Amino acid sequence: MERVPVLKIGDILLVSIQLDMEDQTALQLQEDLADRIVATGCHGVIIDITALDIVDSFVGRMLSTIAAISKVLDAETVVVGMRPAVAITLVELGLSLNGIRTALNVERGMELIAASREETDDWAVDLDEADPGQAATST
Amino acid sequence: MALDAAQGSRLAGLLGDHAEQIVKRWADSVAVSLRGRLSQAELQSQVRELHRALLVALEGDGRELHAESAGELRAVLSELSRSRARRGFTATETAVSVFALKDIVLETMSAGGGAEQNLRDFVAYSALIDQLGLFTFESYAKAREELIADQAEQLLELSTPVVKLWEGVVAVPLVGTLDSARAQVVMERLLQTLVDTGSPYAIIDITGVPAVDTQVAQHILKTVVAARLMGADCIISGIRPQIAQTIVALGIEFGDIATKASLADALRHVLKLTGVDAARRNARRES
């Protein structure tokens, strides 16, 4: 069975889907990805679908599931590189991939994750500053 | 309505014997109806060609226009109608070129002395010429339709430019009525441009759209959702007061899609989004 490689770049896991997804491949990918997120402690997942010609409801649901799993493990998922034809088809099918963030290419996706990490980091810092007593006790 | 064999050969004889005279009279009478918009020489050659093709058809077995041997005649007729249609002549002016033959045949026949048989012949000839005339009408209409289809396609190409407004910002100024075919072209172009330029923002300007109904709104919404799926944000601008009222009256919901009154406002909005991002990032780096 073919497997989709999961690459680690800094704080981000990059998944580039280069083959047609079958049920088994998709399930394997979900499992691999969950394992890698936990093992590496990464906070961002980028799924590159530039090579996908067809995104049907099955692949759409797989993307949603991966996004949900990553979220539970505190990692942000961004789907990048969707082709115009694929986007048009999805819209015509009425699939809007709710809950998935998208970006035009891998670079933009990395920027997006970096930006959202900064926001949450800031929030954490603000919280620490606002309540230094709790921060002291927790350490 | 077709000629019988004897009539066919008699007509062929008539046309062949007085060839020069007939072509000249024919060209003259057509020239009158076209009021000099076609040069005499050109008319002469067109008529001569028609005359020759008709003779060929009659001498063969082509007493019916749909017969095989009348193929050349059909080709000459449709070429004639096509060229007239493209040069802006009316359908009547085109058909008259064929119908003029009737008068000339009648003249030539009566010059040769009248008899009862001549009358019957003439009715048959004139039925044939009517057929030719109708054929030119059809060819003319077909040529015109092709012309219109070509123009519609050119219009489609012309009227959907995607322009780059700023680094990372593209805009589509929509002009004219938005039907399904055009909406599709606009959507494809916009999405392709987003990929090519890597722009995360797109502005759809509808200043030039005369009316927005539920269908047009649906097309615009689909484009926006597709762009979002690809990771780009769309802003709709150029909503005129009447259109805003129509949109509300029709109950169209744009949801969380940003709408602006003018293209300038939309651009300012986008620049603010990107500018603030950049400013914040720089500030963070410094601190």
Side-chain angles (χ1 to χ4, degrees):
Chain A
M1 188 189 66
E2 290 174 290
R3 285 174 89 129
V4 180
V6 180
L7 314 172
K8 180 175 178 293
I9 304 175
D11 195 29
I12 290 168
L13 290 176
L14 178 63
V15 182
S16 185
I17 301 178
Q18 307 277 352
L19 42 98
D20 290 333
M21 295 301 286
E22 285 161 19
D23 297 28
Q24 211 51 46
T25 325
L27 291 176
Q28 188 66 46
L29 175 61
Q30 285 174 18
E31 239 171 76
D32 286 354
L33 199 56
D35 287 349
R36 288 298 300 269
I37 292 172
V38 174
T40 58
C42 286
H43 289 106
V45 175
I46 292 180
I47 304 173
D48 174 37
I49 57 168
T50 315
L52 278 193
D53 279 325
I54 299 162
V55 172
D56 52 12
S57 55
F58 171 72
V59 176
R61 203 184 64 219
M62 178 200 79
L63 294 174
S64 294
T65 314
I66 288 179
I69 293 173
S70 310
K71 190 152 205 152
V72 173
L73 298 170
D74 189 28
E76 181 108 30
T77 307
V78 181
V79 172
V80 303
M82 188 183 291
R83 291 191 187 186
V86 171
I88 293 171
T89 317
L90 284 180
V91 172
E92 295 295 338
L93 283 174
L95 296 171
S96 53
L97 300 187
N98 283 326
I100 298 179
R101 302 184 70 178
T102 50
L104 285 171
N105 48 42
V106 176
E107 200 178 359
R108 298 251 179 224
M110 290 169 85
E111 279 174 18
L112 197 64
I113 289 178
S116 73
R117 289 313 295 177
E118 269 175 21
E119 268 167 36
T120 49
D121 286 351
D122 279 7
W123 184 74
V125 171
D126 287 350
L127 193 74
D128 288 351
E129 280 167 2
D131 195 355
Q134 197 181 11
T137 50
S138 66
T139 46
Chain B
M1 79 188 277
L3 282 66
D4 58 36
Q7 283 173 331
S9 59
R10 272 204 294 278
L11 179 57
L14 192 71
L15 288 176
D17 293 346
H18 308 273
E20 269 313 305
Q21 190 196 346
I22 287 178
V23 167
K24 197 182 171 314
R25 296 265 308 112
W26 195 355
D28 285 348
S29 82
V30 173
V32 171
S33 68
L34 295 185
R35 278 162 298 179
R37 274 193 286 161
L38 221 53
S39 75
Q40 193 72 26
E42 200 173 349
L43 256 176
Q44 282 262 356
S45 80
Q46 277 182 0
V47 167
R48 198 179 303 273
E49 205 177 337
L50 205 54
H51 178 257
R52 198 181 48 78
L54 187 58
L55 265 183
V56 169
L58 285 169
E59 277 159 10
D61 203 19
R63 294 186 305 278
E64 275 271 24
L65 190 54
H66 301 289
E68 206 172 311
S69 56
E72 196 191 342
L73 179 59
R74 284 200 301 272
V76 169
L77 280 175
S78 61
E79 181 48 43
L80 175 83
S81 331
R82 200 168 290 269
S83 77
R84 294 280 162 88
R86 290 198 182 272
R87 292 164 77 160
F89 289 98
T90 66
T92 311
E93 281 163 345
T94 309
V96 130
S97 312
V98 174
F99 287 133
L101 179 62
K102 241 189 235 189
D103 291 337
I104 296 154
V105 168
L106 179 63
E107 273 173 32
T108 322
M109 277 169 76
S110 49
E116 201 200 327
Q117 196 203 8
N118 271 358
L119 183 63
R120 202 163 293 143
D121 280 358
F122 179 68
V123 170
Y125 300 163
S126 101
L128 178 74
I129 294 169
D130 284 346
Q131 247 184 354
L132 302 186
L134 286 177
F135 186 78
T136 56
F137 264 126
E138 263 168 40
S139 311
Y140 178 90
K142 208 184 285 170
R144 268 296 165 99
E145 268 161 27
E146 279 167 15
L147 205 64
I148 291 169
D150 282 356
Q151 281 172 348
E153 203 172 306
Q154 284 167 5
L155 210 62
L156 211 60
E157 298 277 309
L158 274 180
S159 60
T160 50
V162 180
V163 293
K164 183 177 171 183
L165 277 191
W166 205 272
E167 199 57 56
V169 187
V170 293
V172 206
L174 291 179
V175 178
T177 320
L178 205 62
D179 56 11
S180 296
R182 259 196 82 195
Q184 190 72 24
V185 172
V186 170
M187 192 195 269
E188 278 167 17
R189 282 251 178 103
L190 175 60
L191 298 185
Q192 194 53 54
T193 314
L194 288 177
V195 173
D196 293 346
T197 63
S199 311
Y201 292 99
I203 300 172
I204 301 176
D205 187 78
I206 57 168
T207 314
V209 179
V212 172
D213 55 13
T214 45
Q215 209 179 355
V216 172
Q218 188 69 25
H219 290 316
I220 295 175
L221 284 177
K222 271 187 188 168
T223 310
V224 174
V225 174
R228 270 200 189 165
L229 279 176
M230 290 176 51
D233 230 343
C234 277
I235 293 112
I236 299 168
S237 77
I239 301 171
R240 281 176 284 124
Q242 307 95 299
I243 290 194
Q245 291 183 28
T246 327
I247 288 173
V248 173
L250 286 173
I252 297 165
E253 280 286 342
F254 278 122
D256 55 347
I257 299 163
T259 51
K260 298 283 168 195
S262 68
L263 188 58
D265 281 344
L267 185 58
R268 191 178 298 133
H269 174 77
V270 172
L271 288 181
K272 210 166 98 190
L273 285 180
T274 52
V276 167
D277 273 6
R280 270 162 76 196
R281 224 171 286 155
N282 288 341
R284 289 239 176 74
R285 250 173 237 147
E286 280 157 23
S287 63

